[in-house]
């Protein structure tokens, strides 16, 4: 098996400070809280899960929790067992949340038996209230979801006091679906290629047609339950990870990496170079430039790397942008796959091997963990190529109308895209492709005092298009000042495979 992966990345940042309190803008992360005037339903634009219209064969309400002043507390955990007498082969995790109160955006994770299933940010709520739903296809983790006597844990560190009044209410539900597995020949217009629909159902959330739910998931996560299952990476020099034994009958193994970035690196994609900070005598600690790379080591040899997508959390840049359409990836952070099958030759010796992670140029702190997705059988892949582009332009103009009261006026524009293109073939001259283009354009202004937005206005336009092997989806949506002003979507499954 030969396996070729190509990655291209592009991040462009322009930040202008006019008449600028440069120091303070850079020192204080571009992170604000706001007030609201009506109850809001927040949403992230994504294509629907292909089985979303079906009735689940079983529904398991697994956790209902109120995340108040949870800072420093361990994750909440509940016992998990799959529902009895239920036939299922596809699974969705549904995370519903609501809040009434002023609050920053907070990061949460859901782990099953230590495996990271969902990394999410909250929306930034207001005292008028807000709610949202995140639904993620977790079929990939079926082997874990079939296990008895394991625990499901959720962590969300939040601060509630006189100023930040918003607690988060979360309901977590697991939805089990049964979909007939079918071999459906595609119509002549699709070159008579055979595509198994069930595979495309699965593909929707992840890699490709050849990928089946894994036979085994090996979590690479921390032992420190008090601090969550993720590793906290505080600097460039830290290598965090775990030793594991890969079963000898492994045919294919993929390392799925989950990250979120915090503190001085929350806005790493806009951090200035250290030379700029020195040249301007700034005291900002947010440096190391605007490029980060997550490195995977096996037994301390570098085997792969990914550049994370710069997810802008919903309090970032101008929080009015993300009302009600949140930023790309905010509710369902992308995870990153590195195929480690080429290294199985060294790994299948029955001994334990150290899987370690570093974040190049990182500042405190990153929350990182991973899952090894192991298949014991599979089809031969002769070639995979992949291109990812994450262009990002942020322009910010800041000024102080008067020295005394500390109010700042900020005008900003933002263009952000997540573009991914994959081609693969199975060695029998069948080739496949999928293409995602997801872009946002935002414009707005605000007046800010003590990091609280006093006034402002913003518009957000988003264009999403996905072309896969068995379906296409596109959506154009726009919001102005907290209200949706335009929303059109088209979804088509190719006729011969739309038997659902
Ligand atoms: C599951 O099915 C078996 C056999 O049909 C039955 O004995 C059992 O009571 C069922 N369990 C539940 C929880 O429905
Ligand atoms: C979660 O939200 C979805 C969509 O609004 C809704 O259909 C579902 O009933 C909610 N589940 C719970 C447990 O609140
Ligand atoms: C969670 O479920 C409870 C009980 O069904 C419901 O009252 C509450 O509104 C739900 N909250 C969210 C955020 O879905
Ligand atoms: C930085 O500080 C040095 C020494 O105080 C001074 O000579 C230089 O002009 C300052 N540079 C800027 C851009 O303010
Ligand atoms: C995928 O295939 C198309 C058509 O052959 C080609 O234009 C494109 O560059 C390929 N993309 C990648 C990432 O290999």
């Amino acid at each position: 098996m030969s396996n070729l992966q190509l990655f291209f990345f592009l991040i462009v940042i322009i930040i202008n400070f006019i008449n600028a309190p440069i120091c303070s803008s850079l020192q204080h992360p571009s992170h604000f809280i706001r007030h609201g005037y009506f109850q809001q339903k927040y949403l992230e634009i994504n294509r629907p899960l292909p089985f979303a219209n079906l009735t689940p064969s079983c529904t398991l309400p697994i956790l209902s929790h109120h995340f108040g002043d949870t800072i420093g507390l361990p994750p909440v955990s509940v016992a998990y067992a799959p529902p009895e007498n239920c036939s299922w082969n596809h699974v969705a995790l549904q995370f519903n949340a609501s809040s009434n109160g002023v609050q920053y955006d907070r990061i949460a994770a859901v782990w099953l038996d230590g495996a990271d299933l969902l990394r999410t940010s909250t929306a930034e709520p207001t005292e008028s209230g807000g709610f949202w739903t995140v639904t993620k296809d977790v079929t990939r983790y079926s082997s874990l979801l079939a296990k008895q006597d394991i625990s499901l844990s959720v962590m969300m560190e939040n601060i509630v006091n006189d100023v930040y009044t918003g607690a988060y209410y979360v309901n977590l539900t697991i939805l089990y679906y049964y979909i007939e597995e079918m071999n459906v020949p595609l119509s002549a217009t699709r070159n008579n290629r055979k595509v198994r629909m069930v595979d495309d159902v699965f593909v929707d959330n992840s890699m490709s047609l050849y990928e089946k739910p894994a036979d085994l998931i090996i979590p690479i996560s921390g032992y420190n339950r008090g601090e969550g299952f993720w590793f906290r990476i505080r600097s460039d020099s830290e290598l965090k990870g775990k030793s594991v034994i890969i079963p000898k009958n492994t045919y294919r193994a993929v390392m799925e990496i989950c990250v979120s970035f915090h503190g001085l690196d929350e806005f790493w994609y806009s951090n200035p170079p250290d030379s700029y900070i020195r040249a301007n005598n700034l005291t900002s600690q947010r440096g190391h430039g605007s490029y980060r790379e997550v490195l995977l080591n096996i037994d301390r040899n570098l085997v792969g790397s990914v550049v994370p997508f710069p997810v802008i959390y919903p309090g970032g840049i101008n929080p009015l942008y993300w009302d009600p359409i949140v930023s790309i990836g905010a509710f369902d952070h992308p995870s990153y796959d590195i195929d480690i099958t080429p290294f199985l030759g060294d790994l299948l010796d029955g001994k334990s091997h150290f899987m370690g992670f570093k974040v190049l140029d990182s500042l405190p702190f990153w929350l990182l963990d991973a899952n090894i997705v192991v298949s014991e059988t599979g089809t031969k892949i002769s070639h995979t190529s992949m291109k990812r582009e994450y262009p990002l332009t942020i322009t910010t103009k800041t000024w102080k109308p008067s020295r005394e009261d500390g109010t700042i006026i900020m005008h900003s524009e933002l263009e952000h895209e997540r573009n991914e293109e994959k081609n693969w073939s199975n060695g029998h001259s069948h080739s496949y492709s999928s293409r995602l283009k997801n872009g946002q354009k935002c414009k707005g202004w605000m007046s800010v005092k003590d990091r609280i937005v006093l006034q402002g206005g913003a518009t957000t336009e988003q264009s999403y298009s996905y072309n896969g092997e068995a379906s296409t989806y596109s959506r154009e949506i726009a919001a102005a000042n907290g209200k949706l002003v335009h929303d059109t979507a088209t979804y088509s499954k190719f006729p011969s495979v739309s038997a659902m």
Side-chain angles (χ1 to χ4, degrees):
M1 179 167 125
S2 84
N3 206 322
L4 175 70
Q5 303 214 11
L6 303 170
F7 301 93
F8 300 90
F9 304 96
L10 176 67
I11 297 177
V12 184
I13 311 254
I14 306 166
I15 301 197
N16 284 323
F17 296 94
I18 294 191
N19 292 337
I22 286 183
C23 301
S24 63
S25 299
L26 284 176
Q27 257 164 354
H28 299 296
S30 344
H31 198 153
F32 309 96
I33 53 175
R34 64 192 180 87
H35 296 280
Y37 305 103
F38 48 89
Q39 197 194 37
Q40 188 63 280
K41 179 184 174 168
Y42 299 97
L43 70 162
E44 179 178 346
I45 306 308
N46 230 321
R47 57 193 179 276
L49 303 187
F51 48 87
N53 296 338
L54 304 182
T55 307
S57 32
C58 306
T59 299
L60 177 66
I62 178 93
L63 181 133
S64 210
H65 195 80
H66 157 229
F67 293 89
D69 199 29
T70 48
I71 188 147
L73 297 182
V76 279
S77 292
V78 292
Y80 172 86
E84 277 186 54
N85 291 359
C86 179
S87 300
W88 55 271
N89 53 16
H90 287 83
V91 190
L93 180 72
Q94 195 161 61
F95 180 102
N96 289 13
S98 70
S99 182
N100 298 284
V102 176
Q103 192 52 269
Y104 281 115
D105 45 8
R106 304 292 183 191
I107 292 292
V110 178
W111 295 276
L112 184 62
D113 206 18
D116 197 324
L117 299 196
L118 174 71
R119 197 68 77 88
T120 184
S121 165
T122 66
E124 208 176 77
T126 66
E127 56 279 73
S128 312
F131 62 99
W132 66 97
T133 294
V134 189
T135 308
K136 181 173 177 185
D137 186 347
V138 291
T139 306
R140 186 179 216 190
Y141 314 99
S142 293
S143 63
L144 273 184
L145 289 156
K147 275 185 158 180
Q148 307 280 343
D149 301 325
I150 54 175
S151 59
L152 179 137
S153 310
V154 180
M155 184 152 172
M156 184 197 290
E157 287 192 281
N158 190 22
I159 296 176
V160 175
N161 57 28
D162 293 345
V163 182
Y164 309 121
T165 54
Y168 289 100
Y169 295 85
V170 173
N171 287 337
L172 203 63
T173 311
I174 305 182
L175 306 165
Y176 300 82
Y177 296 86
Y178 186 75
I179 302 168
E180 290 290 340
E181 199 164 330
M182 287 176 291
N183 262 305
V184 188
L186 287 169
S187 65
T189 58
R190 306 285 299 162
N191 306 331
N192 281 324
R193 286 177 305 193
K194 284 206 168 197
V195 170
R196 301 196 327 148
M197 184 189 68
V198 67
D199 286 339
D200 197 63
V201 166
F202 186 58
V203 106
D204 200 76
N205 203 31
S206 85
M207 279 292 287
S208 47
L209 287 177
Y210 58 81
E211 199 179 51
K212 306 287 258 169
D215 295 302
L216 182 69
I217 301 287
I218 305 173
I220 308 294
S221 57
Y223 307 102
N224 190 348
R225 278 152 202 267
E227 289 204 343
F229 292 84
W230 38 39
F231 298 110
R232 269 163 213 260
I233 295 192
R234 294 185 179 83
S235 79
D236 189 61
S237 59
E238 282 189 337
L239 176 71
K240 291 278 177 87
K242 187 177 164 183
S243 292
V244 293
I245 296 173
I246 312 279
K248 284 189 169 175
N249 59 346
T250 298
Y251 181 88
R252 180 159 190 264
V254 171
M255 182 71 78
E256 178 189 28
I257 302 172
C258 310
V259 295
S260 51
F261 17 89
H262 308 275
L264 297 173
D265 256 359
E266 176 170 352
F267 298 96
W268 59 266
Y269 43 83
S270 65
N271 281 14
D274 295 346
S275 56
Y276 176 90
I277 294 176
R278 274 194 306 272
N280 291 285
N281 295 342
L282 304 181
T283 52
S284 173
Q285 294 182 290
R286 290 180 51 208
H288 288 194
S290 56
Y291 181 79
R292 299 288 181 273
E293 207 171 320
V294 178
L295 309 180
L296 167 63
N297 288 255
I298 298 182
D299 297 329
R300 301 192 182 252
N301 298 316
L302 177 65
V303 301
S305 72
V306 290
V307 175
F309 176 75
V311 177
I312 300 172
Y313 305 139
I317 319 298
N318 179 341
L320 306 175
Y321 287 166
W322 318 122
D323 179 27
I325 305 171
V326 298
S327 41
I328 298 171
F331 284 164
D332 183 1
H333 293 194
S335 63
Y336 309 90
D337 285 348
I338 295 179
D339 197 330
I340 56 170
T341 312
F343 307 98
L344 289 180
D346 292 329
L347 295 176
L348 301 187
D349 56 2
K351 300 199 176 118
S352 77
H353 293 273
F354 185 74
M355 306 285 156
F357 299 92
K358 273 188 160 196
V359 184
L360 205 64
D361 283 331
S362 60
L363 289 168
F365 60 97
W366 287 58
L367 295 173
L368 183 152
D369 53 25
N371 305 312
I372 307 182
V373 181
V374 171
S375 310
E376 288 162 6
T377 57
T379 36
K380 194 178 149 204
I381 306 302
S382 63
H383 180 94
T384 309
S385 64
M386 178 148 180
K387 185 170 156 184
R388 295 173 175 155
E389 276 182 352
Y390 307 146
L392 170 62
T393 308
I394 303 170
T395 312
T396 310
K397 298 175 185 176
T398 307
W399 72 87
K400 277 185 178 168
S402 78
R403 280 215 166 262
E404 299 76 43
D405 77 344
T407 304
I408 304 170
I409 310 264
M410 293 179 73
H411 280 260
S412 60
E413 289 186 25
L414 176 144
E415 285 191 32
H416 197 193
E417 284 177 48
R418 177 175 175 211
N419 299 331
E420 297 189 352
E421 191 178 297
K422 296 168 204 169
N423 293 338
W424 65 99
S425 62
N426 62 7
H428 303 292
S429 72
H430 293 301
S431 56
Y432 308 95
S433 68
S434 74
R435 202 168 298 227
L436 170 71
K437 264 183 97 69
N438 188 5
Q440 289 183 321
K441 286 186 187 173
C442 307
K443 234 180 201 179
W445 73 278
M446 57 181 177
S447 64
V448 178
K449 190 177 175 185
D450 299 329
R451 296 169 71 178
I452 296 173
V453 179
L454 305 176
Q455 284 182 64
T459 57
T460 297
E461 290 170 22
Q462 185 164 5
S463 169
Y464 182 104
S465 94
Y466 172 77
N467 287 287
E469 277 297 313
S471 67
T472 66
Y473 179 74
S474 67
R475 189 159 175 183
E476 302 288 329
I477 190 165
N481 303 321
K483 297 218 160 73
L484 290 183
V485 292
H486 173 83
D487 188 5
T488 54
T490 58
Y491 184 28
S492 58
K493 294 181 195 173
F494 299 122
S496 56
V497 290
S498 61
M500 280 163 50

